[in-house]
Amino acid sequence: MGLTLLPEDIILNVFKNLSNPQSFSQASRHLYGLSKEPRFKAHWLVHHFGPRYALYYAILRMPHLCNDALLSTLVNCGAIVPRYLVQMIVQSYNGPRRYSTDIDSTSTPLDDATSRLPFTGYAYIVSHAWRHYGDIWDARQANDFSLFIKYAGYRDPEYRNMDLLKELIHTYGFIPVPLPGAPVMRNIILLARDEPAIFAHFSVPFRCDRLVRKRTWESVLLFIATYTSEPREPDRRALLFSAINRCLGEGPLEFDDKAVFKTTFVDTFSKQREEHPIMAILKQVCEEVTLTFSIVEAAREILEARNLGWYINTQLAGFLGLERVERIGDGMELTAGNRGNNSARSNGMWAWS
């Protein structure tokens, strides 16, 4: 009861600092009413995700509420309207009719969210972008993520241009989400290695976006696989792991990183045709990467699933220091003497002893 008697500005400061304000808003009718106001929502979004990402996550998390009133309040609270986000919204927006029909299996989370945007919210975004950027496309109709890849120069050093890259970030508010379908996370990790000050503008999605986190872990595992197979200079190796830790940060805000790692590990190595040195990769992760979970515990839980095939299971067992792995059903043991036996390669169930 006492909290409701406080000035609204004090209540607002309490509200915006909550990781999840839902319980707070249910404490009384007065607080519930305040929590529904655009001002309270906007301050929470800007404080939680930062000015650069507040609009993106507002649309992704609460698209049906993103009318012109909320979005204009967001901008007044300091939120940036990234040109790349506008480009993706313009490409995705089909109005409410799309949401009322079957969703295309190839649609992205942003596609689904923009289909639920009120028209006033969509109109506000387009109008704001026109006033600030003019035409949102460059002369070649390339979107800003394509320009980011181009100016970063990791695919073609000839086009590397840090001045244009900084302009993309500071003038046009570039954010690296939504991620395109193409493999791009490698470029961002390399940018974290070479230009940590620029990467600092991109850190938020790595901590609070499950899809970004999954794509990051996939690139990290394959990066380490390359460095394990082809040893590099110690200084370059140290820089790489510094960049990886910079990307992974201090752990995600809203999901279980171990669960994301396990899913990514299975998806990454079960579909790879080549046999990566998984035991060595896991040792490198354990020794060099700052984790919020136990890699040993994660590896054990993956192995307990027993559905990854002979090679991956024996690599996991080796990392865990297990003496042998048995195939349930015929009693075959995989020991140091018979791991190369092709007859042991099977889709059967596996257990360790």
Side-chain angles (χ1 to χ4, degrees), residues 303-318:
L303 184 56
E304 285 175 349
R306 304 171 183 169
N307 59 355
L308 296 178
W310 178 87
Y311 178 76
I312 296 177
N313 283 341
T314 52
Q315 288 282 305
L316 287 167

Side-chain angles (χ1 to χ4, degrees), residues 12 16 35 41 136 148 184 275 285 302 323 327 342:
L12 175 60
K16 74 179 185 181
S35 70
K41 288 189 177 71
I136 61 173
F148 163 73
V184 295
E275 294 183 342
V285 172
I302 294 170
E323 292 184 0
R327 183 181 175 210
N342 288 332

Side-chain angles (χ1 to χ4, degrees), residues 83-93 110 137 143 178:
R83 188 175 69 174
Y84 172 60
L85 177 59
V86 180
Q87 292 167 346
M88 294 299 97
I89 289 173
V90 168
Q91 286 186 336
S92 298
Y93 187 75
L110 184 64
W137 307 99
N143 67 46

